[in-house]
Coordinates of all heavy atoms in Angstrom, one line a residue:
M1 N -8.8 -3.5 3.9 CA -8.6 -2.1 4.0 C -9.9 -1.4 4.3 O -10.3 -0.4 3.6 CB -8.0 -1.6 2.7 CG -6.6 -2.1 2.5 SD -5.5 -0.8 3.0 CE -4.3 -1.5 3.9
D2 N -10.7 -1.9 5.2 CA -12.0 -1.2 5.5 C -11.8 0.2 6.0 O -12.8 1.0 5.9 CB -12.7 -2.1 6.6 CG -13.1 -3.4 6.1 OD1 -13.4 -3.6 4.8 OD2 -13.2 -4.3 6.9
A3 N -10.7 0.5 6.6 CA -10.5 1.9 7.1 C -10.5 2.9 5.9 O -10.9 4.1 6.1 CB -9.1 2.0 7.8
L4 N -10.2 2.5 4.7 CA -10.2 3.4 3.6 C -11.6 3.8 3.3 O -11.9 4.9 2.8 CB -9.6 2.7 2.3 CG -8.1 2.6 2.3 CD1 -7.7 1.8 1.1 CD2 -7.5 4.0 2.3
A5 N -12.6 3.0 3.5 CA -14.0 3.3 3.2 C -14.5 4.5 4.1 O -15.4 5.2 3.6 CB -14.9 2.1 3.4
V6 N -14.0 4.7 5.3 CA -14.4 5.7 6.1 C -13.4 6.8 6.3 O -13.6 7.8 7.0 CB -14.8 5.2 7.5 CG1 -16.0 4.2 7.4 CG2 -13.7 4.5 8.2
A7 N -12.3 6.7 5.7 CA -11.2 7.7 5.8 C -11.6 9.1 5.2 O -12.3 9.1 4.1 CB -9.9 7.2 5.2
I8 N -11.1 10.1 5.8 CA -11.3 11.4 5.2 C -9.9 12.0 4.9 O -8.9 11.6 5.4 CB -12.1 12.4 6.2 CG1 -11.4 12.5 7.5 CG2 -13.5 11.9 6.4 CD1 -12.0 13.6 8.4
P9 N -9.9 13.0 4.0 CA -8.6 13.5 3.6 C -7.8 14.0 4.8 O -8.3 14.6 5.8 CB -8.9 14.7 2.7 CG -10.2 14.3 2.1 CD -10.9 13.6 3.2
G10 N -6.5 13.6 4.9 CA -5.6 13.9 6.0 C -5.4 12.8 7.0 O -4.6 12.9 7.8
N11 N -6.3 11.8 6.9 CA -6.2 10.7 7.9 C -4.9 9.9 7.7 O -4.4 9.8 6.6 CB -7.3 9.7 7.7 CG -8.6 10.1 8.5 OD1 -9.7 9.6 8.2 ND2 -8.6 11.1 9.3
V12 N -4.4 9.3 8.8 CA -3.3 8.3 8.7 C -3.9 7.0 9.1 O -4.4 6.9 10.2 CB -2.2 8.7 9.7 CG1 -1.1 7.7 9.7 CG2 -1.6 10.1 9.2
I13 N -3.7 6.0 8.3 CA -4.1 4.6 8.6 C -2.9 3.8 8.9 O -2.0 3.7 8.1 CB -4.9 4.0 7.4 CG1 -6.1 4.8 7.1 CG2 -5.2 2.5 7.7 CD1 -6.8 4.4 5.8
E14 N -2.8 3.4 10.2 CA -1.6 2.6 10.6 C -1.9 1.1 10.7 O -2.9 0.8 11.3 CB -1.1 3.1 11.9 CG 0.2 2.5 12.3 CD 1.0 3.3 13.3 OE1 1.0 4.6 13.2 OE2 1.5 2.7 14.3
L15 N -1.1 0.3 10.0 CA -1.3 -1.1 9.9 C -0.5 -1.8 11.0 O 0.7 -1.4 11.2 CB -1.0 -1.7 8.6 CG -1.7 -1.1 7.4 CD1 -1.2 -1.7 6.1 CD2 -3.2 -1.4 7.5
L16 N -1.1 -2.7 11.8 CA -0.4 -3.4 12.8 C 0.7 -4.3 12.2 O 0.5 -4.8 11.1 CB -1.3 -4.2 13.7 CG -2.4 -3.4 14.5 CD1 -3.4 -4.3 15.1 CD2 -1.7 -2.5 15.5
P17 N 1.8 -4.6 13.0 CA 2.8 -5.5 12.5 C 2.1 -6.9 12.2 O 1.2 -7.3 12.8 CB 3.7 -5.6 13.6 CG 3.6 -4.3 14.3 CD 2.2 -3.9 14.2
G18 N 2.6 -7.5 11.1 CA 2.1 -8.8 10.7 C 2.0 -8.8 9.2 O 2.4 -7.9 8.5
R19 N 1.3 -9.9 8.7 CA 1.1 -10.1 7.3 C -0.3 -9.8 7.0 O -1.3 -10.3 7.6 CB 1.4 -11.5 6.9 CG 1.3 -11.8 5.4 CD 1.7 -13.2 5.1 NE 3.1 -13.5 5.5 CZ 4.1 -13.4 4.6 NH1 3.9 -13.0 3.4 NH2 5.3 -13.7 5.0
H20 N -0.6 -8.9 6.0 CA -1.9 -8.5 5.6 C -2.1 -8.8 4.1 O -1.3 -8.6 3.3 CB -2.1 -6.9 5.7 CG -1.8 -6.5 7.1 ND1 -2.8 -6.4 8.1 CD2 -0.7 -6.0 7.7 CE1 -2.3 -6.0 9.2 NE2 -1.0 -5.7 9.0
T21 N -3.2 -9.5 3.8 CA -3.6 -9.9 2.5 C -4.3 -8.8 1.8 O -5.3 -8.3 2.3 CB -4.4 -11.2 2.5 OG1 -3.6 -12.2 3.2 CG2 -4.7 -11.6 1.1
V22 N -3.9 -8.4 0.6 CA -4.6 -7.5 -0.3 C -5.1 -8.2 -1.5 O -4.4 -8.8 -2.2 CB -3.6 -6.3 -0.7 CG1 -4.3 -5.3 -1.6 CG2 -3.0 -5.7 0.5
K23 N -6.5 -8.2 -1.6 CA -7.1 -9.0 -2.6 C -7.5 -8.2 -3.8 O -7.9 -8.7 -4.8 CB -8.3 -9.8 -2.0 CG -7.9 -10.8 -0.9 CD -9.1 -11.4 -0.3 CE -8.7 -12.4 0.7 NZ -9.8 -13.0 1.4
A24 N -7.5 -6.9 -3.7 CA -7.9 -6.0 -4.8 C -7.0 -4.7 -4.7 O -6.5 -4.4 -3.7 CB -9.4 -5.6 -4.6
T25 N -7.0 -4.1 -5.8 CA -6.2 -2.8 -5.9 C -6.7 -1.8 -5.0 O -8.0 -1.6 -4.9 CB -6.1 -2.3 -7.3 OG1 -5.5 -3.3 -8.1 CG2 -5.4 -1.0 -7.4
V26 N -5.9 -1.1 -4.2 CA -6.3 0.0 -3.4 C -6.0 1.3 -4.1 O -4.8 1.6 -4.5 CB -5.5 -0.1 -2.0 CG1 -5.8 1.1 -1.2 CG2 -5.7 -1.4 -1.3
N27 N -7.0 2.1 -4.3 CA -6.9 3.4 -5.0 C -6.7 4.5 -4.0 O -7.7 4.7 -3.2 CB -8.1 3.6 -5.9 CG -8.1 2.7 -7.1 OD1 -7.1 2.6 -7.9 ND2 -9.2 1.9 -7.2
L28 N -5.6 5.2 -4.1 CA -5.4 6.3 -3.2 C -5.6 7.6 -4.0 O -4.7 8.1 -4.6 CB -4.0 6.3 -2.6 CG -3.7 5.1 -1.7 CD1 -2.2 5.0 -1.3 CD2 -4.6 5.1 -0.5
D29 N -6.8 8.1 -3.9 CA -7.1 9.3 -4.7 C -7.5 10.5 -3.9 O -8.2 11.4 -4.3 CB -8.3 9.0 -5.7 CG -9.5 8.5 -5.0 OD1 -9.5 8.4 -3.7 OD2 -10.5 8.1 -5.7
Q30 N -7.0 10.5 -2.6 CA -7.1 11.6 -1.8 C -5.9 11.7 -0.8 O -5.1 10.8 -0.8 CB -8.4 11.6 -0.9 CG -8.5 10.4 0.0 CD -9.8 10.4 0.8 OE1 -10.3 11.4 1.2 NE2 -10.4 9.2 0.9
K31 N -5.8 12.8 -0.1 CA -4.7 13.0 0.8 C -4.8 12.0 2.0 O -5.6 12.3 2.9 CB -4.6 14.4 1.3 CG -3.5 14.7 2.3 CD -3.5 16.1 2.8 CE -2.4 16.2 3.8 NZ -2.4 17.5 4.4
L32 N -4.1 10.9 1.9 CA -4.1 9.9 3.0 C -2.7 9.3 3.1 O -2.0 9.3 2.1 CB -5.0 8.7 2.6 CG -6.5 8.9 2.6 CD1 -7.2 7.6 2.1 CD2 -7.0 9.2 4.0
T33 N -2.4 8.8 4.3 CA -1.2 8.1 4.5 C -1.5 6.7 5.1 O -2.3 6.6 6.0 CB -0.3 8.8 5.6 OG1 0.0 10.1 5.1 CG2 1.0 8.1 5.9
I34 N -0.9 5.7 4.4 CA -1.0 4.4 4.9 C 0.4 4.0 5.4 O 1.4 4.0 4.7 CB -1.5 3.4 3.9 CG1 -2.9 3.8 3.4 CG2 -1.4 1.9 4.4 CD1 -3.5 2.9 2.4
R35 N 0.5 3.7 6.7 CA 1.8 3.5 7.4 C 1.9 2.2 8.1 O 1.0 1.8 8.8 CB 2.0 4.7 8.4 CG 3.3 4.6 9.2 CD 3.4 5.7 10.2 NE 3.3 7.0 9.5 CZ 2.7 8.1 10.0 NH1 2.1 8.0 11.2 NH2 2.7 9.2 9.4
G36 N 3.0 1.5 7.9 CA 3.3 0.3 8.6 C 3.6 0.7 10.1 O 4.5 1.6 10.3
G37 N 3.0 0.0 11.0 CA 3.2 0.4 12.4 C 4.4 -0.3 13.1 O 4.5 -0.2 14.3
G38 N 5.2 -1.0 12.3 CA 6.4 -1.7 12.9 C 7.6 -0.7 13.0 O 7.6 0.4 12.6
V39 N 8.7 -1.3 13.5 CA 9.9 -0.6 13.6 C 10.6 -0.5 12.3 O 11.2 0.5 11.9 CB 10.8 -1.2 14.7 CG1 12.2 -0.5 14.7 CG2 10.2 -1.2 16.1
T40 N 10.5 -1.6 11.5 CA 11.1 -1.6 10.2 C 10.1 -2.0 9.1 O 9.0 -2.5 9.5 CB 12.3 -2.7 10.1 OG1 11.7 -4.0 10.2 CG2 13.3 -2.5 11.2
P41 N 10.3 -1.7 7.9 CA 9.3 -2.1 6.8 C 9.0 -3.6 6.8 O 7.9 -4.0 6.5 CB 10.0 -1.7 5.5 CG 11.0 -0.7 5.9 CD 11.5 -1.0 7.3
G42 N 9.9 -4.5 7.2 CA 9.7 -5.9 7.3 C 8.7 -6.3 8.3 O 8.2 -7.5 8.3
D43 N 8.4 -5.5 9.3 CA 7.4 -5.8 10.3 C 6.0 -5.8 9.8 O 5.1 -6.5 10.4 CB 7.5 -4.8 11.5 CG 8.9 -4.9 12.2 OD1 9.5 -5.9 12.1 OD2 9.2 -3.9 12.8
V44 N 5.7 -5.1 8.7 CA 4.3 -5.1 8.2 C 4.5 -5.5 6.7 O 5.1 -4.8 5.9 CB 3.7 -3.7 8.3 CG1 2.3 -3.7 7.7 CG2 3.7 -3.2 9.8
I45 N 3.9 -6.6 6.4 CA 3.9 -7.1 5.0 C 2.6 -7.1 4.4 O 1.6 -7.6 4.9 CB 4.5 -8.6 5.0 CG1 5.9 -8.6 5.6 CG2 4.5 -9.2 3.6 CD1 6.4 -10.0 5.9
L46 N 2.5 -6.5 3.2 CA 1.3 -6.5 2.4 C 1.5 -7.5 1.3 O 2.4 -7.4 0.5 CB 1.0 -5.1 1.8 CG 0.7 -4.0 2.8 CD1 0.4 -2.7 2.1 CD2 -0.5 -4.4 3.7
E47 N 0.7 -8.5 1.2 CA 0.8 -9.6 0.3 C -0.3 -9.6 -0.7 O -1.5 -9.7 -0.4 CB 0.8 -10.9 1.0 CG 1.1 -12.1 0.1 CD 1.4 -13.4 0.8 OE1 0.9 -13.5 2.0 OE2 2.0 -14.3 0.2
N48 N 0.0 -9.4 -2.0 CA -1.0 -9.5 -3.1 C -1.1 -10.9 -3.5 O -0.2 -11.6 -3.9 CB -0.4 -8.6 -4.3 CG -1.3 -8.7 -5.5 OD1 -2.2 -9.5 -5.6 ND2 -1.1 -7.8 -6.4
T49 N -2.3 -11.5 -3.3 CA -2.6 -12.9 -3.5 C -3.0 -13.2 -4.9 O -3.3 -14.4 -5.2 CB -3.6 -13.4 -2.5 OG1 -4.8 -12.7 -2.6 CG2 -3.0 -13.3 -1.1
S50 N -3.1 -12.2 -5.8 CA -3.6 -12.5 -7.2 C -2.6 -13.3 -8.0 O -3.0 -14.0 -8.9 CB -3.9 -11.2 -7.9 OG -2.7 -10.5 -8.2
G51 N -1.3 -13.2 -7.7 CA -0.3 -13.9 -8.4 C 0.0 -13.2 -9.8 O 0.5 -13.9 -10.7
S52 N -0.4 -12.0 -10.0 CA -0.2 -11.3 -11.3 C 0.5 -10.0 -11.1 O 0.1 -9.2 -10.2 CB -1.6 -11.1 -11.9 OG -1.5 -10.3 -13.1
Y53 N 1.5 -9.7 -11.9 CA 2.1 -8.4 -11.9 C 1.2 -7.3 -12.3 O 1.3 -6.1 -11.9 CB 3.3 -8.4 -12.9 CG 4.6 -9.0 -12.3 CD1 5.1 -10.1 -12.8 CD2 5.2 -8.4 -11.2 CE1 6.3 -10.7 -12.3 CE2 6.3 -8.9 -10.7 CZ 6.9 -10.1 -11.2 OH 8.0 -10.6 -10.7
S54 N 0.2 -7.6 -13.1 CA -0.7 -6.6 -13.6 C -1.7 -6.0 -12.5 O -2.3 -5.0 -12.7 CB -1.6 -7.1 -14.8 OG -2.4 -8.1 -14.4
D55 N -1.8 -6.8 -11.4 CA -2.7 -6.3 -10.3 C -1.8 -5.5 -9.3 O -1.1 -6.1 -8.5 CB -3.3 -7.5 -9.6 CG -4.3 -8.2 -10.6 OD1 -4.9 -7.6 -11.4 OD2 -4.4 -9.4 -10.4
S56 N -1.9 -4.2 -9.4 CA -1.1 -3.4 -8.4 C -1.7 -3.5 -7.0 O -2.9 -3.6 -6.9 CB -0.9 -2.0 -8.9 OG -2.2 -1.4 -9.0
V57 N -0.9 -3.4 -6.0 CA -1.4 -3.3 -4.6 C -2.0 -1.9 -4.4 O -3.1 -1.7 -3.9 CB -0.3 -3.6 -3.6 CG1 -0.8 -3.4 -2.2 CG2 0.2 -5.1 -3.8
Y58 N -1.3 -0.9 -4.8 CA -1.7 0.5 -4.6 C -1.6 1.3 -5.9 O -0.7 1.1 -6.7 CB -0.8 1.2 -3.6 CG -1.1 0.8 -2.2 CD1 -0.2 -0.1 -1.6 CD2 -2.2 1.2 -1.5 CE1 -0.5 -0.6 -0.3 CE2 -2.4 0.8 -0.2 CZ -1.5 -0.1 0.4 OH -1.8 -0.6 1.6
R59 N -2.6 2.1 -6.2 CA -2.6 3.0 -7.3 C -2.7 4.4 -6.7 O -3.7 4.7 -6.0 CB -3.8 2.8 -8.3 CG -3.6 1.5 -9.0 CD -4.8 1.3 -10.0 NE -4.5 2.2 -11.1 CZ -5.5 2.7 -11.8 NH1 -6.8 2.4 -11.6 NH2 -5.3 3.6 -12.8
F60 N -1.8 5.3 -7.0 CA -1.7 6.6 -6.5 C -2.4 7.6 -7.5 O -2.0 7.6 -8.7 CB -0.3 7.1 -6.3 CG 0.4 6.3 -5.2 CD1 1.0 5.1 -5.4 CD2 0.4 6.8 -3.9 CE1 1.7 4.4 -4.4 CE2 1.0 6.1 -2.9 CZ 1.6 4.9 -3.1
G61 N -3.3 8.4 -7.0 CA -3.9 9.4 -7.9 C -4.0 10.8 -7.2 O -4.8 11.6 -7.6
H62 N -3.2 11.0 -6.2 CA -3.2 12.3 -5.5 C -1.8 12.6 -5.0 O -1.1 11.7 -4.6 CB -4.2 12.2 -4.3 CG -4.5 13.6 -3.7 ND1 -3.6 14.2 -2.9 CD2 -5.5 14.3 -3.7 CE1 -4.1 15.4 -2.5 NE2 -5.3 15.5 -3.0
P63 N -1.4 13.9 -5.2 CA 0.0 14.2 -4.9 C 0.4 14.0 -3.4 O 1.5 13.8 -3.0 CB 0.2 15.6 -5.3 CG -1.2 16.2 -5.4 CD -2.1 15.0 -5.7
A64 N -0.6 14.0 -2.5 CA -0.4 13.9 -1.1 C -0.7 12.5 -0.6 O -0.7 12.3 0.6 CB -1.2 15.0 -0.3
A65 N -1.0 11.6 -1.4 CA -1.2 10.2 -1.0 C 0.2 9.6 -0.7 O 1.1 9.8 -1.4 CB -1.9 9.4 -2.1
R66 N 0.3 8.9 0.5 CA 1.6 8.4 0.9 C 1.4 6.9 1.4 O 0.4 6.6 2.0 CB 2.1 9.2 2.1 CG 2.5 10.6 1.8 CD 3.1 11.3 3.0 NE 4.3 10.6 3.4 CZ 5.5 11.0 3.0 NH1 5.7 11.9 2.2 NH2 6.6 10.4 3.5
I67 N 2.5 6.1 1.2 CA 2.6 4.9 1.9 C 4.0 4.9 2.5 O 5.0 5.4 1.9 CB 2.4 3.6 1.0 CG1 3.3 3.6 -0.2 CG2 0.9 3.5 0.6 CD1 3.3 2.3 -0.9
E68 N 4.1 4.4 3.7 CA 5.3 4.4 4.5 C 5.6 3.1 5.2 O 4.6 2.5 5.8 CB 5.3 5.6 5.5 CG 5.0 6.9 4.9 CD 4.8 8.0 6.0 OE1 4.5 7.6 7.2 OE2 4.8 9.2 5.6
N69 N 6.8 2.7 5.3 CA 7.3 1.7 6.3 C 6.6 0.3 6.0 O 6.2 -0.3 7.0 CB 7.1 2.2 7.7 CG 8.0 1.5 8.7 OD1 9.2 1.2 8.3 ND2 7.5 1.2 9.8
L70 N 6.5 -0.1 4.8 CA 5.8 -1.4 4.4 C 6.7 -2.2 3.6 O 7.6 -1.8 2.8 CB 4.5 -1.1 3.7 CG 3.5 -0.3 4.4 CD1 2.4 0.1 3.4 CD2 2.9 -1.0 5.5
T71 N 6.5 -3.6 3.6 CA 7.1 -4.5 2.7 C 6.0 -5.1 1.8 O 4.9 -5.4 2.3 CB 7.8 -5.6 3.4 OG1 8.9 -5.1 4.1 CG2 8.3 -6.7 2.5
F72 N 6.2 -5.2 0.5 CA 5.3 -5.7 -0.5 C 5.7 -7.0 -1.0 O 6.9 -7.2 -1.3 CB 5.1 -4.7 -1.7 CG 4.6 -3.4 -1.3 CD1 5.5 -2.4 -1.0 CD2 3.3 -3.2 -1.1 CE1 5.0 -1.1 -0.6 CE2 2.8 -1.9 -0.7 CZ 3.7 -0.9 -0.4
K73 N 4.8 -8.0 -1.0 CA 5.1 -9.3 -1.6 C 4.0 -9.7 -2.5 O 2.8 -9.3 -2.4 CB 5.2 -10.4 -0.4 CG 6.3 -10.1 0.5 CD 6.8 -11.4 1.1 CE 7.9 -11.2 2.1 NZ 9.2 -11.3 1.5
L74 N 4.3 -10.5 -3.5 CA 3.4 -11.0 -4.5 C 3.4 -12.5 -4.5 O 4.5 -13.1 -4.8 CB 3.8 -10.5 -5.9 CG 2.9 -10.9 -7.1 CD1 1.4 -10.3 -6.8 CD2 3.4 -10.2 -8.3
T75 N 2.4 -13.2 -4.1 CA 2.3 -14.6 -4.0 C 2.4 -15.3 -5.4 O 1.8 -14.8 -6.3 CB 1.0 -15.0 -3.3 OG1 0.9 -14.4 -2.0 CG2 0.9 -16.5 -3.1
N76 N 3.1 -16.3 -5.5 CA 3.2 -17.2 -6.7 C 4.0 -16.5 -7.8 O 4.0 -17.1 -8.9 CB 1.8 -17.6 -7.2 CG 1.0 -18.4 -6.1 OD1 1.6 -19.1 -5.4 ND2 -0.3 -18.2 -6.1
V77 N 4.6 -15.4 -7.6 CA 5.4 -14.7 -8.7 C 6.6 -14.2 -8.0 O 6.5 -13.5 -7.0 CB 4.6 -13.6 -9.4 CG1 5.5 -12.9 -10.4 CG2 3.3 -14.2 -10.1
N78 N 7.8 -14.4 -8.6 CA 9.0 -13.8 -8.0 C 9.0 -12.3 -8.3 O 8.6 -11.9 -9.4 CB 10.2 -14.4 -8.6 CG 10.4 -15.9 -8.1 OD1 10.0 -16.2 -7.0 ND2 10.9 -16.7 -9.0
G79 N 9.4 -11.5 -7.4 CA 9.6 -10.1 -7.6 C 8.6 -9.2 -6.8 O 8.0 -9.7 -5.9
C80 N 8.5 -8.0 -7.2 CA 7.7 -7.0 -6.4 C 6.4 -6.7 -7.1 O 6.4 -6.5 -8.4 CB 8.5 -5.7 -6.2 SG 7.7 -4.5 -5.1
P81 N 5.3 -6.6 -6.4 CA 4.0 -6.2 -7.1 C 4.1 -4.7 -7.5 O 4.9 -4.0 -7.0 CB 3.0 -6.4 -6.0 CG 3.8 -6.2 -4.7 CD 5.1 -6.8 -5.0
G82 N 3.3 -4.4 -8.5 CA 3.3 -3.0 -9.0 C 2.7 -2.0 -8.1 O 1.7 -2.2 -7.4
L83 N 3.4 -0.9 -8.0 CA 2.9 0.3 -7.3 C 2.7 1.3 -8.5 O 3.7 1.7 -9.1 CB 3.9 0.8 -6.3 CG 4.2 -0.1 -5.1 CD1 5.3 0.4 -4.3 CD2 2.9 -0.3 -4.3
R84 N 1.5 1.6 -8.8 CA 1.3 2.4 -10.0 C 0.9 3.9 -9.6 O 0.1 4.1 -8.7 CB 0.2 1.8 -10.8 CG 0.6 0.4 -11.2 CD -0.4 -0.3 -12.0 NE 0.0 -1.6 -12.3 CZ -0.3 -2.3 -13.4 NH1 -1.0 -1.7 -14.3 NH2 0.1 -3.5 -13.6
F85 N 1.5 4.8 -10.4 CA 1.1 6.2 -10.3 C 0.3 6.6 -11.5 O 0.6 6.2 -12.6 CB 2.4 7.0 -10.2 CG 3.2 6.8 -9.0 CD1 4.2 5.8 -8.9 CD2 3.0 7.6 -7.9 CE1 4.9 5.6 -7.8 CE2 3.7 7.4 -6.7 CZ 4.7 6.3 -6.7
F86 N -0.7 7.4 -11.2 CA -1.5 8.0 -12.3 C -1.9 9.4 -11.9 O -1.9 9.7 -10.7 CB -2.7 7.1 -12.7 CG -3.7 7.0 -11.6 CD1 -4.9 7.7 -11.6 CD2 -3.6 6.1 -10.6 CE1 -5.8 7.6 -10.6 CE2 -4.5 5.9 -9.6 CZ -5.7 6.7 -9.6
G87 N -2.3 10.2 -12.8 CA -2.8 11.5 -12.4 C -1.6 12.3 -11.8 O -0.5 12.5 -12.4
D88 N -1.8 12.7 -10.5 CA -0.9 13.6 -9.8 C 0.2 12.8 -9.0 O 1.0 13.4 -8.4 CB -1.6 14.5 -8.9 CG -2.4 15.5 -9.6 OD1 -2.0 16.0 -10.7 OD2 -3.5 15.9 -9.2
G89 N 0.1 11.4 -9.0 CA 1.2 10.7 -8.4 C 1.0 10.6 -6.9 O -0.2 10.7 -6.4
G90 N 2.0 10.4 -6.1 CA 2.0 10.2 -4.7 C 3.4 10.0 -4.2 O 4.4 10.2 -4.9
V91 N 3.6 9.5 -2.9 CA 4.9 9.4 -2.3 C 5.0 8.0 -1.7 O 4.1 7.5 -1.0 CB 5.1 10.4 -1.2 CG1 6.4 10.3 -0.5 CG2 5.0 11.8 -1.8
I92 N 6.1 7.3 -1.9 CA 6.5 6.1 -1.3 C 7.7 6.3 -0.4 O 8.7 6.9 -0.9 CB 6.8 5.0 -2.3 CG1 5.6 4.7 -3.2 CG2 7.2 3.7 -1.6 CD1 5.9 3.8 -4.3
S93 N 7.6 6.0 0.9 CA 8.8 6.3 1.8 C 9.1 5.1 2.6 O 8.2 4.5 3.2 CB 8.4 7.5 2.7 OG 9.4 7.7 3.6
N94 N 10.3 4.6 2.6 CA 10.8 3.6 3.5 C 10.1 2.3 3.3 O 9.6 1.6 4.2 CB 10.8 4.0 5.0 CG 11.6 3.1 5.8 OD1 12.7 2.6 5.4 ND2 11.2 2.9 7.1
C95 N 9.9 1.9 2.0 CA 9.2 0.6 1.7 C 10.1 -0.3 0.9 O 11.1 0.2 0.2 CB 7.9 0.9 0.8 SG 6.6 1.8 1.7
V96 N 9.9 -1.6 1.0 CA 10.7 -2.5 0.3 C 9.9 -3.6 -0.4 O 8.7 -3.8 -0.1 CB 11.8 -3.3 1.2 CG1 12.7 -2.3 1.8 CG2 11.0 -4.0 2.3
C97 N 10.5 -4.3 -1.4 CA 9.8 -5.3 -2.1 C 10.5 -6.6 -1.9 O 11.7 -6.7 -1.6 CB 9.8 -5.1 -3.6 SG 8.8 -3.7 -4.1

């Protein structure tokens, strides 16, 4: 998620179709949108490789932080990785686990 390091409030980060590995929690504490660039949520998969439910893929801390059109997977554990809200929350749209 190198694009997050240079993103400014209001940016949209679009992920290309395919499988993307997330190795650390992504903190969304400003007005940003992270969007899957596929036709369906299954076209862009974010895979948390930690194998732990306690490691969330995204933590929301701004009311205008958004994620859209993505599928979340957690390696080595059945189920969906955590999407955690704190502070002012955020928005999840058209995503699946």
Side-chain angles (χ1 to χ4, degrees):
M1 293 259 134
D2 293 332
L4 285 174
V6 296
I8 59 172
N11 279 165
V12 175
I13 298 169
E14 188 161 314
L15 301 175
L16 295 174
R19 184 176 299 267
H20 303 271
T21 300
V22 179
K23 297 178 182 177
T25 298
V26 176
N27 292 303
L28 296 174
D29 56 2
Q30 60 179 322
K31 179 183 177 183
L32 288 175
T33 299
I34 297 178
R35 179 181 299 146
V39 175
T40 68
D43 294 338
V44 181
I45 299 169
L46 295 180
E47 185 171 23
N48 177 345
T49 59
S50 73
S52 170
Y53 279 115
S54 64
D55 296 328
S56 59
V57 175
Y58 288 99
R59 291 184 71 209
F60 292 87
H62 191 284
R66 296 181 61 90
I67 57 169
E68 305 172 343
N69 204 38
L70 300 168
T71 293
F72 299 93
K73 294 209 182 267
L74 182 60
T75 304
N76 301 325
V77 176
N78 292 326
C80 186
L83 297 172
R84 299 182 184 211
F85 292 88
F86 66 99
D88 293 325
V91 178
I92 300 171
S93 175
N94 197 34
C95 294
V96 297
C97 294

